[in-house]
Amino acid sequence: MDPVATTTLLQGESTARRTSVFMKFLMAVTGALFVLFVLMHMYGNLKILWGTEAFDEYAEHLRTLLTPILPYSGFLWLFRAVLVLALLVHAYAAFTLWSRANGARPQRYAVKSAAKGAVRSKMMRWGGVALLAFIAFHLIQFTIVKVNFNGNFSAAQLHGSTGELVIASFQLWWVTLIYIIAMGALAMHLFHGVWSAAQTLGWTNSAGSRRLAYATAHVVAAVVALGFLVPPLAIFFRLVK
Amino acid sequence: MNLTLNIWRQDGPETAGRMVTYQLADVSGDMSFLEMLDVLNESLVAKGDEPIAFDSDCREGICGMCGLMISGKAHGPVRTTTCQLHMREFRDGDTISIEPWRAEAFPVIKDLVVDRSSFDRIIQSGGFISANTGSAPEAHSVPVEKRKADRAFEAAACIGCGACVAACPNASAMLFMGAKVTHLGELPQGQPERYARVVKMVAQHDHEGFGGCTNTGACADACPKEIPLDVINTLNRDLLGALRQGR
Amino acid sequence: MSETIPTVAGDGSIVAGLYRVGDPVEDTSAPAGPIDKKWTTRKFDAHLVNPANRRKLSVIIVGTGLAGGAAAATLGEAGYHVKSFCYQDSPRRAHSIAAQGGINAAKNYKEDGDSTYRLFYDTVKGGDYRARETNVYRLAEVSANIIDQCVAQGVPFAREYGGLLDNRSFGGVQVSRTFYARGQTGQQLLIGAYQALERQVAAGTVTAYTRHEMLELIVVDGRARGIIARDMVTGEIETHLADVVVLASGGYGNVFFLSTNAMGSNVTATWRAHRKGAYFANPCYTQIHPTCIPVSGDHQSKLTLMSESLRNDGRIWVPKRAEDCEKDPRQIPEEDRDYYLERIYPSFGNLVPRDIASRQAKNVCDEGRGVGPKVGDFRRGVYLDFTDALQRMSAEAVAEKYGNLLDMYQRITGDNPYEVPMRIYPAVHYTMGGLWVDYDLQSNLPGLFVAGEANFSDHGANRLGASALMQGLADGYFVLPNTIRDYLSHAPYPTVSPDHPEVVAARAAVQERVDTLLAINGDRTVDSFHKELGHIMWEYCGMERSEEGLRKGIELIRGLRAEFWRNVRVLGAADTLNQSLEKAGRVADFLELGELMCIDALHRRESCGGHFRAESQTDDGEAKRDDANFRYVAAWEFGGSPDGGDTGTPVLHKEDLVYDAIALKERSYK
Ligand SMILES: Cc1cc2nc3c(=O)[nH]c(=O)nc-3n(C[C@H](O)[C@H](O)[C@H](O)COP(=O)(O)OP(=O)(O)OC[C@H]3O[C@@H](n4cnc5c(N)ncnc54)[C@H](O)[C@@H]3O)c2cc1C
Ligand code: HEM
Ligand code: HEM
Ligand code: SF4
Ligand code: F3S
Ligand code: FES
């Protein structure tokens, strides 16, 4: 995949699996999976508006899904495994294409226009990196380690409830701010990503379907970002305690 | 009008280039952009400076030979070819920067002239319908649905200028390739080679060192022939088809 | 001053102070028999080449337009070893790409009475009876196959709702036989040929040499055996040897500097062959197209054609009085306008043929009634007014029919044609003359074949619309592959070594010319010479010609040529891309060709096709053809010493035109 200047015709059989477009398929499929996940996750998060019990019940429900076919938490672990794998694939494809693109234009333009293309590709790539950082922070905070940054809440008060941890966290202004910024990045990523995935997967064959894909991307980006932000803001402004 | 021109000068493929500033007076709005450069060149020769090399041939917007990055925009501020851009789009006192297309797969030959033979090789890899001369059936034996014929035509309007590559943040040639894949793939004559074609073309495209597409759409905005972005979609779909066929 | 023009082979003395008359020429390769059987006979008689031997036989093809591209692809498919050359960066950019209108074919899909014979007849008549019957008949005969071939390649011709191909009638012809792809017929056809060519490149049968310019022909033992080409990127002078050389290098309209041809269109390939012995036929036959966007100033580099279809609904006029010429046309009342075509030709009006529309436009401008900016001393433009059409039809209907043309006009001129009448002026568009070829498209030099606009064969003194594309593809796909096969069946021809004295000499000549051009270091740019030559040609060898003017033109060209070799300034080096050097070489050849064109025009003391000869007109000032004295092809042999800049005294060989299948008629549009 190394970019090379060439004056030759490629020899031998070429396969679809080794093309840059195939990389795009990988990214689109994993991206689509993420979209489904965040939609579900956002729905789950909204439960906290009805109190921490409702929220924890939902989390518990996830863990008992498909039992007893699967052991307790089995589905969740499977789901996590798929997500991790997808994230690796998504990030791998993203960085491969990114380095390809760098190699494809070693000499930059002296004068750049503010064309939307340049802005978008930057936004996707740096936005993606931001999301990666956010996800790491987020998982440490809520799942892997479960850190409570809020001194006003003791471990006893939280009694192991993720719902209580969430309440405690978003009472802090800077935690909330991190999430607001992250959701901004997510919205931008989705705004281009959803349209992009539709194009990559071959669903935008006409001006009409293209408009539909753009519209869907706008709606998904807005719904996800706003939906995610309702609980933190509600907690921050003490509408939910 | 009087203009300040910052122009890329590069002696040869191996040498480093630089931006050089020129002043040009008395430019008329009726001149085409390339005629403006002709005038500049005449004055350079008079002074004993080597004229600026740039490509053009038909100067009618159809051969695809011309192409300059004008103040950061492929083919300049209006959606047309460089040769059809006229100086009335500029104002007295403007500063205009002029650069060659920049892409690893389009190496600079001299000044503003680049080598676009990578496009020819993409076509060689599969951008055709195999129909030897003399083997053709009567033209009316295969009717083509009007809608498909129109779409094929729309895609076939590509002039191979390379502005899509120049404008793309990834220096990807997907619009150029998508146009060819759509043109041939929409027609019944193009069906037998449809999936093999797309795989070979994309493989050659990658081999040439063009970037991957990230659907940013800058290409279609720059395309003087208004090739729509959905030709890339068609290409993607054909590549998926090829995958399904195990190619 | 006024010698009589000899009609028999001369005694070797110099005629009119300018040329000699040599032996007549004859087309010896057309088989006998009725005209509609000739091509079948010829194909059958052409010998075969064993597939195993084809790989060992090589063909050089200069040009990748419809003619050269199609020939290279087809000969490659057959298995010959083909080398294809073009000066652009890709074969796809040959100037065929610019053709808009369409391509003729006698398919008779409309059942409106078309047939091979009718297409043949129309083409010969359109050429004002100065084309060779046998070649034109074959052209009409293979025209239908062209469409089949192109459709199979995926050329997206316009179609009807039923999915079948659409046709239109074009250029005043009464049947609908023109196939088209919106306004991009040339492009679509060329891309078809280009793709077929690239397919052969991938298959290894064709090697493409892009950015290569042919600068000399190699002739060994009387046969064309190769070319000297310059790699325009590295400057290297390369020798390419082969068994056959095909020139399909397009037209030479750029001798006029301003034309609708591409910037790089040149005569170098054919002119160099001419200097090596190939006859140049009818060099003065140029087609002038009436509806081009006029010149806007001294900086102009080329002219843009607008489709003639505009004359269907637009009305052409100039002010009656020269004083009104500066006024806003909208302020000039109806009674002060001169709709001169409608006035002079009441039955045809604005739809008179190209040559008449062009000449009358020039006449009114020469009278001082032209409009638009002054270029030199004159205003060169007439109004093409859509006001009536806009009232009669509605702006939407006009936009529907002509929208893209009107937009193009606005983009180039900055004027809105929906509000202000457009301005048009005639421009050089096509050259009917070219290297002399026989029925096999072989020149008088064995092994040198010439196809497309570069040869002279099919259009006589005037070309019918939509027939150049047809000719290019007929030559490339169907004629050359058969006739070249026959030539190659007599191979092997003795191997030519790169050290052969002729090869070495050709190479040295090219090298020397390059060195000379770079060494002169005078004070005038190449373009300034080219422009001046263009002015001379347009003034004295354009639409209207007279003996006096032509003699003056010849003097001026000779002077200019001498100055060129003394005073041109070409900067830069030989071993890099050097566009001034490329141009200089082309202009040097134009400076020689221009003189031959004037001599040809001078000797042809008749008005024919688009060429109005002041000394040959009817009582009411219309063109008068002279079949008794000039029903022949003028094939010129190079007569000069092949050194530097002198064209010497050319020798005229006449080929009598025989009309067996068609009776000669006079043209009249009054
Ligand atoms: C604006 C315009 C509109 C037209 N519209 C129509 C139309 O509607 N219908 C119609 O029938 N005809 C039309 N014509 C005429 C027609 O397009 C041309 O006559 C025809 O396409 C010529 O084809 P060709 O193959 O002979 O040459 P071209 O297409 O001109 O190709 C010439 C080739 O020779 C190469 N070449 C030239 N010199 C050299 C050299 N020294 N060394 C190496 N390579 C060289 C070039 O690179 C090029 O590849 C139009 C012409 C113009 C200009
Ligand atoms: C790990 C961090 C991430 C990185 C580095 C990353 C990076 C990228 C990049 C570079 C692209 C390609 C941009 C383009 O096509 O223009 C992309 C596409 C996409 N991303 Fe991400 N992303 C990340 C996480 C996510 C997440 C969390 C989601 C969903 C919530 C997501 C959804 C998408 C979608 C739907 C696409 C479009 C796929 C396509 O172009 O076909 N990404 N990502
Ligand atoms: C305001 C926004 C968000 C809130 C309040 C929030 C809250 C939470 C909480 C409380 C958990 C722990 C759930 C549990 O263990 O039961 C969690 C897990 C997780 N969150 Fe978020 N989240 C938000 C946004 C996001 C976003 C934008 C992403 C991805 C792009 C994301 C990805 C994840 C993942 C991958 C897990 C781990 C799931 C698991 O281990 O099962 N979250 N989130
Ligand atoms: S797709 Fe458009 S921009 Fe790209 S090469 Fe074709 S015409 Fe030029
Ligand atoms: S701009 Fe580039 S990223 Fe794709 S959509 Fe066009 S090729
Ligand atoms: S010079 Fe031909 S498109 Fe511009």
Side-chain angles (χ1 to χ4, degrees):
Chain A
M1 282 285 274
D2 277 335
V4 280
T6 165
T7 52
T8 57
L9 214 51
L10 191 57
Q11 297 302 320
E13 275 300 299
S14 28
T15 62
R17 224 165 296 242
R18 267 196 250 126
T19 59
S20 59
V21 178
F22 183 69
M23 285 281 155
K24 290 288 296 172
F25 288 147
L26 292 180
M27 203 138 79
V29 171
T30 51
L33 192 76
F34 295 152
V35 173
L36 290 181
F37 166 75
V38 287
L39 281 170
M40 200 180 81
H41 185 22
M42 178 202 82
Y43 165 77
N45 284 356
L46 288 173
K47 299 251 165 191
I48 208 158
L49 300 180
W50 284 269
T52 53
E53 287 84 31
F55 184 82
D56 288 341
E57 201 177 288
Y58 172 76
E60 178 64 15
H61 178 69
L62 278 184
R63 284 163 174 81
T64 54
L65 210 65
L66 290 187
T67 48
I69 300 173
L70 294 173
Y72 179 76
S73 278
F75 171 81
L76 194 64
W77 277 109
L78 258 176
F79 189 73
R80 286 172 177 168
V82 171
L83 276 183
V84 169
L85 191 68
L87 196 69
L88 288 177
V89 169
H90 191 85
Y92 169 73
F95 286 112
T96 311
L97 285 169
W98 191 346
S99 87
R100 250 204 98 80
N102 281 338
R105 180 164 296 135
Q107 167 92 44
R108 322 244 131 208
Y109 290 109
V111 176
K112 292 183 209 111
S113 71
K116 73 176 187 214
V119 178
R120 284 195 173 192
S121 64
K122 278 216 188 70
M123 177 178 99
M124 282 312 270
R125 288 173 187 147
W126 293 111
V129 171
L131 282 179
L132 197 60
F134 163 76
I135 291 170
F137 168 77
H138 180 61
L139 292 187
I140 291 168
Q141 185 186 15
F142 286 130
T143 16
I144 305 173
V145 189
K146 298 199 184 215
V147 259
N148 172 26
F149 300 107
N150 193 339
N152 297 339
F153 285 75
S154 68
Q157 269 171 302
L158 297 179
H159 59 80
S161 154
T162 315
E164 298 295 339
L165 178 64
V166 170
I167 302 270
S169 301
F170 290 112
Q171 285 185 4
L172 296 174
W173 66 268
W174 59 270
V175 174
T176 309
L177 188 66
I178 287 178
Y179 274 74
I180 291 176
I181 293 169
M183 290 314 105
L186 181 65
M188 307 245 278
H189 202 77
L190 288 181
F191 158 68
H192 179 72
V194 169
W195 134 256
S196 178
Q199 167 95 342
T200 301
L201 295 172
W203 297 335
T204 49
N205 230 13
S206 63
S209 53
R210 210 160 46 189
R211 268 198 301 280
L212 184 68
Y214 277 127
T216 312
H218 281 81
V219 170
V220 169
V223 165
V224 168
L226 295 178
F228 265 129
L229 281 180
V230 168
L233 292 177
I235 295 165
F236 184 71
F237 292 110
R238 304 297 194 277
L239 300 173
V240 177
K241 289 184 190 118
Chain B
M1 62 184 112
N2 297 326
L3 299 171
T4 304
L5 303 165
N6 292 320
I7 303 180
W8 183 260
R9 302 296 313 252
Q10 181 173 337
D11 292 338
E14 310 299 335
T15 46
R18 69 218 172 276
M19 296 298 277
V20 179
T21 305
Y22 300 94
Q23 303 293 338
L24 191 61
D26 296 331
V27 175
S28 133
D30 285 334
M31 290 180 185
S32 72
F33 197 82
L34 298 183
E35 284 164 356
M36 182 274 291
L37 288 179
D38 288 342
V39 171
L40 176 63
N41 274 344
E42 290 283 295
S43 73
L44 290 182
V45 175
K47 276 192 287 186
D49 287 349
E50 230 191 293
I52 298 153
F54 62 88
D55 265 331
S56 81
D57 202 30
C58 73
R59 297 215 178 172
E60 283 190 25
I62 194 73
C63 73
M65 187 93 174
C66 65
L68 299 172
M69 206 68 180
I70 299 168
S71 295
K73 290 201 150 179
H75 290 308
V78 198
R79 208 202 238 199
T80 180
T81 55
T82 303
C83 59
Q84 290 283 289
L85 175 67
H86 281 72
M87 294 312 292
R88 63 182 78 86
E89 308 298 337
F90 299 89
R91 298 283 145 265
D92 186 34
D94 276 0
T95 299
I96 305 172
S97 81
I98 308 174
E99 294 178 75
W101 289 165
R102 293 214 185 278
E104 174 73 7
F106 287 171
V108 173
I109 293 175
K110 183 172 183 174
D111 296 342
L112 303 170
V113 176
V114 299
D115 176 0
R116 282 168 295 198
S117 55
S118 45
F119 271 11
D120 288 337
R121 287 187 294 276
I122 291 179
I123 298 298
Q124 281 162 27
S125 69
F128 48 74
I129 291 173
S130 300
N132 281 6
T133 307
S135 64
E138 153 60 40
H140 267 180
S141 58
V142 189
V144 182
E145 196 189 325
K146 179 99 165 65
R147 197 171 49 87
K148 293 198 167 194
D150 285 349
R151 201 169 132 76
F153 181 88
E154 180 184 49
C158 165
I159 56 174
C161 61
C164 45
V165 176
C168 172
N170 309 319
S172 173
M174 282 294 262
L175 195 69
F176 166 76
M177 245 187 332
K180 188 51 47 193
V181 165
T182 306
H183 161 206
L184 299 177
E186 284 287 347
L187 296 170
Q189 291 84 355
Q191 292 314 305
E193 292 165 291
R194 181 166 165 192
Y195 297 110
R197 174 185 308 126
V198 67
V199 174
K200 289 195 218 151
M201 287 177 73
V202 178
Q204 182 68 30
H205 165 273
D206 293 352
H207 181 60
E208 295 288 347
F210 289 105
C213 169
T214 53
N215 300 322
T216 50
C219 51
D221 290 347
C223 174
K225 296 294 143 181
E226 306 190 21
I227 302 293
L229 209 47
D230 40 64
V231 300
I232 298 182
N233 178 78
T234 305
L235 182 150
N236 291 336
R237 197 146 68 168
D238 280 5
L239 198 87
L240 267 179
L243 268 176
R244 259 185 244 115
Q245 292 190 344
R247 284 181 192 267
Chain C
M1 269 281 131
S2 54
E3 274 107 325
T4 46
I5 309 288
T7 49
V8 290
D11 53 7
S13 59
I14 295 185
V15 185
L18 292 169
Y19 63 95
R20 297 173 209 274
V21 180
D23 296 333
V25 270
E26 220 179 325
D27 168 19
T28 49
S29 59
I35 197 154
D36 58 340
K37 296 286 182 299
K38 281 183 194 285
W39 182 230
T40 314
T41 312
R42 183 73 191 96
K43 275 193 292 186
F44 185 76
D45 289 348
H47 291 81
L48 302 179
V49 179
N50 177 343
N53 286 340
R54 295 183 198 163
R55 240 166 294 137
K56 297 176 212 147
L57 296 168
S58 53
V59 183
I60 284 174
I61 302 183
V62 180
T64 58
L66 292 184
T74 307
L75 289 164
E77 284 159 11
Y80 299 102
H81 180 68
V82 179
K83 289 181 171 185
S84 149
F85 292 80
C86 67
Y87 69 75
Q88 293 94 342
D89 73 334
S90 164
R92 67 179 292 152
R93 310 206 198 282
H95 197 52
S96 294
I97 204 150
Q100 305 167 345
I103 176 168
N104 287 334
K107 278 282 196 189
N108 194 24
Y109 280 158
K110 298 273 177 182
E111 198 57 36
D112 56 359
D114 199 9
S115 64
T116 301
Y117 184 84
R118 190 174 296 279
L119 175 53
F120 159 61
Y121 176 86
D122 286 349
T123 309
V124 169
K125 178 175 170 233
D128 214 4
Y129 304 95
R130 290 292 174 265
R132 193 192 279 153
E133 266 192 352
T134 50
N135 286 50
V136 180
Y137 193 89
R138 174 182 59 199
L139 176 64
E141 201 176 333
V142 300
S143 65
N145 302 358
I146 296 174
I147 303 303
D148 298 342
Q149 180 61 30
C150 295
V151 165
Q153 288 172 341
V155 170
F157 283 120
R159 286 178 186 266
E160 293 168 340
Y161 278 94
L164 299 180
L165 296 165
D166 193 15
N167 299 132
R168 59 185 177 200
S169 87
F170 193 72
V173 169
Q174 282 156 329
V175 290
S176 283
R177 64 158 78 99
T178 306
F179 293 77
Y180 65 101
R182 285 191 216 161
Q184 307 172 4
T185 317
Q187 179 186 13
Q188 297 309 336
L189 295 172
L190 183 65
I191 296 300
Y194 157 74
Q195 286 168 187
L197 174 73
E198 294 295 355
R199 172 171 163 247
Q200 291 310 307
V201 172
T205 60
V206 176
T207 315
Y209 294 87
T210 58
R211 291 198 199 267
H212 273 68
E213 186 163 30
M214 166 188 167
L215 294 178
E216 196 52 271
L217 179 73
I218 298 172
V219 182
V220 177
D221 298 332
R223 290 179 192 278
R225 294 306 303 270
I227 62 169
I228 307 286
R230 178 170 178 271
D231 179 329
M232 294 156 73
V233 176
T234 64
E236 194 174 333
I237 309 288
E238 302 173 347
T239 305
H240 295 273
L241 297 165
D243 295 295
V244 166
V245 176
V246 178
L247 299 185
S249 52
Y252 51 84
N254 274 356
V255 67
F256 290 88
F257 184 69
L258 289 182
S259 81
T260 62
N261 286 6
M263 300 303 286
S265 294
N266 66 85
V267 76
T268 294
T270 48
W271 190 255
R272 293 283 122 196
H274 172 60
R275 290 183 65 111
K276 284 283 168 92
Y279 295 169
F280 210 114
N282 300 334
C284 80
Y285 285 171
T286 33
Q287 183 165 66
I288 311 241
H289 198 288
T291 47
C292 296
I293 299 179
V295 178
S296 68
D298 289 336
H299 53 265
Q300 191 110 357
S301 60
K302 79 153 280 161
L303 296 171
T304 303
L305 181 74
M306 288 196 297
S307 170
E308 260 176 300
S309 62
L310 289 170
R311 286 200 278 144
N312 292 336
D313 286 299
R315 294 181 72 194
I316 296 174
W317 62 275
V318 289
K320 279 187 178 154
R321 290 187 306 262
E323 308 87 86
D324 285 352
C325 289
E326 268 171 69
K327 277 195 189 157
D328 181 336
R330 287 166 294 187
Q331 310 300 320
I332 302 177
E334 202 62 28
E335 62 273 16
D336 290 343
R337 300 175 174 192
D338 179 10
Y339 293 90
Y340 57 91
L341 289 177
E342 298 170 26
R343 172 170 59 78
I344 309 175
Y345 308 96
S347 57
F348 280 83
N350 294 304
L351 292 174
V352 290
R354 286 180 183 182
D355 53 325
I356 295 180
S358 298
R359 193 168 71 248
Q360 294 300 354
K362 180 174 188 295
N363 287 348
V364 293
C365 292
D366 287 350
E367 285 167 23
R369 293 194 289 143
V371 296
K374 267 198 176 156
V375 180
D377 297 334
F378 286 102
R379 293 174 204 284
R380 300 247 172 246
V382 299
Y383 289 121
L384 174 63
D385 197 339
F386 263 69
T387 315
D388 282 3
L390 286 164
Q391 278 159 5
R392 182 162 39 88
M393 291 158 70
S394 87
E396 288 74 44
V398 170
E400 167 80 15
K401 218 167 156 186
Y402 301 109
N404 54 349
L405 293 169
L406 302 188
D407 291 349
M408 177 177 82
Y409 179 86
Q410 179 159 18
R411 194 167 57 235
I412 293 175
T413 62
D415 291 341
N416 181 353
Y418 294 92
E419 286 164 12
V420 190
M422 288 183 276
R423 283 176 294 112
I424 55 167
Y425 199 65
V428 174
H429 174 55
Y430 183 89
T431 49
M432 280 77 68
L435 292 186
W436 184 88
V437 290
D438 63 10
Y439 187 67
D440 283 354
L441 303 186
Q442 186 169 211
S443 75
N444 57 309
L445 286 180
L448 179 68
F449 290 78
V450 191
E453 193 172 340
N455 74 22
F456 88 103
S457 71
D458 294 0
H459 307 294
N462 190 22
R463 180 179 65 84
L464 219 57
S467 60
L469 299 182
M470 170 171 71
Q471 185 215 340
L473 289 179
D475 290 359
Y477 284 133
F478 299 107
V479 181
L480 285 178
N482 283 293
T483 61
I484 287 183
R485 167 163 53 85
D486 185 49
Y487 181 81
L488 287 174
S489 69
H490 305 297
Y493 297 104
T495 316
V496 177
S497 135
D499 305 327
H500 190 286
E502 289 292 341
V503 179
V504 174
R507 240 185 120 93
V510 168
Q511 187 66 57
E512 196 197 302
R513 208 158 109 108
V514 167
D515 295 343
T516 310
L517 287 169
L518 286 169
I520 297 171
N521 203 16
D523 10 83
R524 278 185 71 179
T525 61
V526 177
D527 269 1
S528 78
F529 283 101
H530 196 179
K531 270 185 201 177
E532 190 173 334
L533 173 67
H535 281 297
I536 298 171
M537 294 303 294
W538 180 251
E539 208 47 52
Y540 303 111
C541 197
M543 282 176 279
E544 184 169 332
R545 297 141 177 205
S546 69
E547 173 152 356
E548 196 193 341
L550 288 162
R551 282 195 182 274
K552 178 153 184 218
I554 293 169
E555 283 314 307
L556 291 171
I557 292 171
R558 287 181 175 170
L560 189 64
R561 193 167 62 226
E563 188 191 343
F564 177 88
W565 286 104
R566 206 175 50 237
N567 197 23
V568 71
R569 169 179 271 191
V570 184
L571 298 173
D575 61 353
T576 63
L577 181 76
N578 187 336
Q579 295 176 327
S580 315
L581 180 63
E582 294 158 17
K583 274 195 251 176
R586 294 171 192 158
V587 172
D589 289 332
F590 280 137
L591 280 164
E592 297 184 7
L593 166 79
E595 180 176 329
L596 186 66
M597 289 173 73
C598 290
I599 293 176
D600 184 41
L602 183 103
H603 111 284
R604 188 168 284 279
R605 191 195 278 268
E606 66 161 342
S607 301
C608 67
H611 313 89
F612 190 76
R613 181 65 190 254
E615 294 92 337
S616 176
Q617 43 184 308
T618 60
D619 297 338
D620 51 357
E622 293 299 320
K624 194 166 139 210
R625 214 174 61 213
D626 180 355
D627 288 333
N629 290 311
F630 293 100
R631 205 196 58 224
Y632 63 77
V633 175
W636 296 92
E637 181 185 347
F638 182 68
S641 50
D643 67 330
D646 194 10
T647 58
T649 309
V651 183
L652 170 65
H653 300 274
K654 295 178 188 171
E655 181 197 332
D656 217 13
L657 288 168
V658 184
Y659 290 95
D660 286 334
I662 291 177
L664 274 76
K665 282 207 193 97
E666 217 170 290
R667 289 198 321 160
S668 171
Y669 293 92
K670 283 245 162 122

